[in-house]
């Protein structure tokens, strides 16, 4: 049986471009549009722990607390926060990052804004977010639910789906297709390496692509 460690090791030698091609081959939408790496050179892979935020209006002269869900997140997970893509207030910052580092959480993906980016960079914590902005989410947004299905630009993220991110961005692999997607992505990677090697040797690109099956690189077992 494939262990989580093996899955993570296999993903981390790939890149999101190869995995995206593998998802395309199965007609699965996985790319999280608009969510960008905020710390360059970081690669993450792990099961999703999902958090749904909602807008709120507090009572007058009352300050609401921030979400404390992070105590429930297991080591190795990737936190996926859906704050509706809001750019006007944050749902991630240096306190949550400090706790995430302590708990050995693999990284965070924020469909919305984050802040305290200098501290987060100093901690070298993998953060993917739509935006960096300083305004707090306190009294503007609150946690509605955790470990629920999210919909981010038409991509469904369920608890336990795998999240994979690198300098290209971040995507989600449905749990039931995980092994097949990784197998196809490995084939994509092998095909592209073969094409690069062949054109380095002087073969025209169109010939190399035709010979090595670039139209369906996920079928290649070279």
């Amino acid at each position: 049986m494939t262990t989580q460690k093996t899955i993570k090791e296999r993903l981390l030698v790939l890149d999101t471009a190869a995995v995206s091609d593998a998802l395309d081959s199965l007609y699965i939408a996985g790319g999280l549009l608009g969510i960008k790496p905020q710390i360059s050179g970081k690669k993450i892979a792990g099961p999703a722990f999902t958090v749904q935020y909602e807008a709120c209006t507090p009572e007058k002269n009352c300050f609401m607390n921030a979400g404390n869900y992070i105590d429930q997140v297991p080591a190795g997970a990737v936190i996926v926060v859906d704050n509706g893509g809001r750019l006007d207030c944050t749902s991630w910052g240096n306190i949550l990052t400090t706790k995430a580092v302590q708990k050995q959480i693999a990284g965070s993906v924020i469909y919305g804004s984050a802040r305290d980016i200098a501290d987060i960079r100093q901690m070298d914590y993998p953060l993917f977010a739509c935006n960096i902005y300083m305004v707090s989410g306190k009294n503007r947004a609150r946690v509605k639910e955790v470990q629920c299905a999210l919909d981010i630009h038409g991509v469904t993220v369920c608890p336990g789906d795998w999240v994979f991110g690198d300098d290209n961005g971040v995507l989600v692999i449905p749990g039931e297709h995980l092994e097949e997607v990784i197998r196809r992505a490995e084939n994509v990677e092998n095909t592209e390496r073969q094409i690069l090697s062949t054109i380095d040797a002087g073969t025209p690109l169109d010939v190399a692509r035709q010979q090595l099956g670039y139209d369906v690189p996920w079928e290649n077992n070279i």
Side-chain angles (χ1 to χ4, degrees), residues 89-93 110 112-116 120 127 129 131-134:
C89 68
T90 58
S91 51
W92 190 267
I110 311 298
S113 296
R115 68 178 187 174
D116 303 320
I120 295 168
L127 172 67
N131 186 47
I132 302 298
Y133 193 48
M134 82 297 291

Side-chain angles (χ1 to χ4, degrees), residues 28-183:
I28 297 170
L32 299 183
L33 182 66
I35 301 179
K36 302 171 185 175
Q38 302 297 330
I39 311 292
S40 63
K42 306 301 288 186
K43 191 180 279 191
I44 60 169
F49 184 98
T50 62
V51 183
Q52 178 75 66
Y53 271 70
E54 64 180 359
C56 66
T57 303
E59 294 179 11
K60 190 176 180 181
N61 299 325
C62 176
F63 268 89
M64 298 174 61
N65 208 344
N68 292 320
Y69 60 84
I70 198 165
D71 290 321
Q72 305 172 43
V73 183
V78 176
I79 298 170
V80 182
V81 172
D82 178 3
N83 195 17
R86 289 181 67 175
L87 304 181
D88 64 324
C89 68
T90 58
S91 51
W92 190 267
N94 57 357
I95 293 177
L96 285 171
T97 302
T98 300
K99 193 67 179 174
V101 171
Q102 287 176 355
K103 291 176 62 78
Q104 298 183 316
I105 292 167
S108 296
V109 176
I110 311 298
Y111 183 44
S113 296
R115 68 178 187 174
D116 303 320
I117 190 63
D119 290 347
I120 295 168
R121 285 178 179 149
Q122 191 168 23
M123 287 185 265
D124 199 31
Y125 180 74
L127 172 67
F128 296 76
C130 298
N131 186 47
I132 302 298
Y133 193 48
M134 82 297 291
V135 174
S136 173
K138 284 182 182 176
N139 285 14
R140 298 179 179 90
R142 64 188 173 197
V143 174
K144 177 183 179 185
E145 192 174 2
V146 299
Q147 292 294 69
C148 57
L150 307 178
D151 184 334
I152 297 178
H153 277 305
V155 175
T156 302
V157 187
C158 294
D161 286 348
W162 272 63
V163 181
F164 181 41
D166 61 14
D167 283 341
N168 295 308
V170 63
L171 51 75
V172 176
I173 309 169
E176 65 271 28
H177 297 291
L178 184 60
E179 294 221 28
E180 179 63 14
V181 169
I182 293 174
R183 186 189 70 79

